Amino acid sequence: MEQLEQSRSKNQEKTKEKKKQPRASSTDPQARVMLGAKGAYAPSYNVQISTDAEAKIIVGVDVSQSSSDAGELEPAVERIEANLGQKPEQMVVDAAYPTQEAIEAMAEKGIDLIGPLVARKKPSWDVLKRNGVSAAFYPQAFSYDPSTDSYRCPAGQRLSFETEERQGGWVKRRYRAQRADCRSCPFQSQCCPGTKKGRSLLRMEKTAQLAAFEAKMQSEQAQQIYKQRAGVAEFPNAWIKEKIGLRQFRLRGLIKVGLEVLWACLTYNICQWIRLCWRPQWLAYA
Ligand code: SF4
């Protein structure tokens, strides 16, 4: 009930006009409404399973209330480290996982991240249009000089580096002209109408980690590794659903659902151990 109240007050802030009320399941308040495999929304939990690609053994599992897999990669790596005493050399993930934060975190930990390339929207220049800037004075009309890290405007004035900020996978570097130069410029009404400061310009660059990830994922080797993901990651899911019949949780609440998943994964691992280790030995002695 506390969480429902928190969710309701957050939602009221966000949708003041709509006044849309959030709902919680009365049979399982800790479940969250998520999009299911068949396109239907239902109270659900997000099960995160990490599988060793070579042995096909589950090496990490947890249940979260997040409806998105974005943000689940770092906790998965921490679980693997805690279970195995060492971090994985490589993580192969699907499209929801390689967020900017995840790419940077994996680069920092020295883990080779393999995942699909996701089109990242470059911030548009619509704001210039709205501010009445003529197309002749859009950023492409300014020339960049790497030796001084500055721009030259069409009137020949310099725009010097001012600030830097990050947005998604982009680094936004702002350059600005001197106010006095723009005030006395005959193009001011087309270039920076209404501005009290000098004209500014944004230089958009991908972060080094994102650029490296994208370059790697364009290689044939990385694509071949990624092709193995579905077989490795989906096999335990399919096995647990088909062999154990766990298509719907029998228990309620985050902890009990977590236990149910843990038992299922343990059963899977034991069966794999029998198949891979015990059975070949038994057959050798038989
Ligand atoms: S308004 Fe300023 S930035 Fe624009 S062309 Fe003139 S001097 Fe250059």
Side-chain angles (χ1 to χ4, degrees):
M1 289 308 293
E2 279 172 19
Q3 288 177 12
L4 178 62
E5 280 307 316
Q6 284 171 6
S7 174
R8 184 171 283 154
S9 59
K10 263 191 211 165
N11 201 50
Q12 278 173 344
E13 281 168 24
K14 277 187 199 166
T15 58
K16 276 182 186 164
E17 308 88 34
K18 289 184 183 172
K19 297 274 183 209
K20 191 179 164 192
Q21 295 294 314
R23 292 179 299 161
S25 165
S26 55
T27 51
D28 191 351
Q30 290 187 327
R32 295 291 176 265
V33 175
M34 299 181 195
L35 180 63
K38 290 181 182 167
Y41 287 88
S44 312
Y45 291 93
N46 184 344
V47 178
Q48 295 288 320
I49 294 177
S50 305
T51 308
D52 179 84
E54 196 179 329
K56 309 289 188 291
I57 292 292
I58 293 172
V59 290
V61 59
D62 199 19
V63 174
S64 89
Q65 293 170 299
S66 171
S67 59
S68 164
D69 290 331
E72 297 290 344
L73 185 56
E74 276 189 88
V77 168
E78 284 164 14
R79 280 193 296 276
I80 294 169
E81 268 189 281
N83 288 342
L84 304 185
Q86 63 184 69
K87 67 184 177 192
E89 291 173 10
Q90 187 177 67
M91 292 293 284
V92 185
V93 295
D94 71 13
Y97 293 87
T99 60
Q100 177 62 25
E101 292 75 20
I103 290 169
E104 289 182 5
M106 294 304 109
E108 199 173 303
K109 284 176 182 281
I111 295 172
D112 184 21
L113 178 63
I114 301 288
L117 287 173
V118 180
R120 284 164 216 278
K121 199 176 157 200
K122 192 171 181 177
S124 76
W125 305 121
D126 286 356
V127 66
L128 296 177
K129 201 173 177 183
R130 282 199 302 275
N131 290 343
V133 176
S134 162
F137 291 88
Y138 279 7
Q140 54 269 31
F142 293 65
S143 57
Y144 180 65
D145 179 0
S147 64
T148 57
D149 188 24
S150 65
Y151 277 88
R152 286 274 172 202
C153 72
Q157 300 296 346
R158 184 191 295 266
L159 284 78
S160 305
F161 171 71
E162 188 179 70
T163 56
E164 180 179 295
E165 67 175 275
R166 300 178 68 136
Q167 183 184 350
W170 299 92
V171 178
K172 287 171 34 176
R173 288 172 64 80
R174 185 175 292 279
Y175 296 79
R176 194 177 292 280
Q178 294 287 326
R179 185 170 62 167
D181 291 339
C182 293
R183 279 193 168 173
S184 59
C185 176
F187 304 119
Q188 192 194 8
S189 61
Q190 300 163 62
C191 181
C192 49
T195 182
K196 292 189 176 120
K197 299 178 181 175
R199 165 71 194 264
S200 72
L201 189 70
L202 281 178
R203 181 179 176 83
M204 316 296 291
E205 290 173 340
K206 284 177 185 169
T207 59
Q209 296 92 337
L210 176 59
F213 174 75
E214 291 188 349
K216 174 177 65 183
M217 287 315 303
Q218 277 161 3
S219 71
E220 181 59 27
Q221 189 189 10
Q223 288 297 323
Q224 289 303 324
I225 295 169
Y226 180 65
K227 278 184 187 166
Q228 299 170 28
R229 188 211 69 85
V232 172
E234 302 305 339
F235 179 69
N237 288 329
W239 193 96
I240 288 168
K241 283 177 186 168
E242 288 302 318
K243 299 278 186 185
I244 304 180
L246 185 56
R247 293 181 174 276
Q248 188 169 354
F249 297 115
R250 296 157 176 93
L251 302 174
R252 299 284 178 264
L254 196 58
I255 292 175
K256 288 183 180 177
V257 166
L259 288 172
E260 203 176 340
V261 172
L262 196 57
W263 277 115
C265 290
L266 188 58
T267 307
Y268 166 89
N269 273 356
I270 290 171
C271 287
Q272 296 308 308
W273 174 79
I274 290 171
R275 184 173 68 87
L276 296 168
C277 300
W278 182 81
R279 198 153 184 269
Q281 285 178 22
W282 183 80
L283 287 173
Y285 284 116

